[in-house]
Amino acid sequence: MDWVKNHIDKVEEHMTGNTLNNSLIYDYFYMFADAEKTGLPPRTGYVYGYLKIKEYLEKKHLKIKDILSLEWEEIFNDF
């Protein structure tokens, strides 16, 4: 988790322009993703998603139950 926290700008730069297609699924969620190719640790997506949801909840003063019906784009695009 610390790596993602400390390199969140690198993660977001890598994602730029690719969030609406499946090209990042392998790089971000696969246990055996090629970290040398991307420079990202395997399963970075789970940690990144957790951090962004946590940040969104804190920013909006919400609880998890308050965002269950939201689409991920609504949360992600708020940043």
Side-chain angles (χ1 to χ4, degrees), residues 53-67:
I53 293 293
K54 186 176 172 185
E55 182 180 342
Y56 183 84
L57 292 171
E58 290 171 0
K59 178 180 171 184
K60 301 284 187 174
H61 306 287
L62 299 170
K63 304 266 187 228
I64 287 286
K65 66 182 177 76
D66 300 324
I67 65 168

Side-chain angles (χ1 to χ4, degrees), residues 33-76:
D34 186 355
E36 289 182 26
K37 180 186 106 185
T38 63
L40 305 170
R43 298 187 171 175
T44 293
Y46 295 108
V47 176
Y48 178 77
Y50 169 80
L51 293 173
K52 294 311 270 186
I53 293 293
K54 186 176 172 185
E55 182 180 342
Y56 183 84
L57 292 171
E58 290 171 0
K59 178 180 171 184
K60 301 284 187 174
H61 306 287
L62 299 170
K63 304 266 187 228
I64 287 286
K65 66 182 177 76
D66 300 324
I67 65 168
L68 292 177
S69 63
L70 298 181
E71 294 293 328
W72 69 268
E73 294 96 343
E74 187 173 341
I75 295 169
F76 187 79

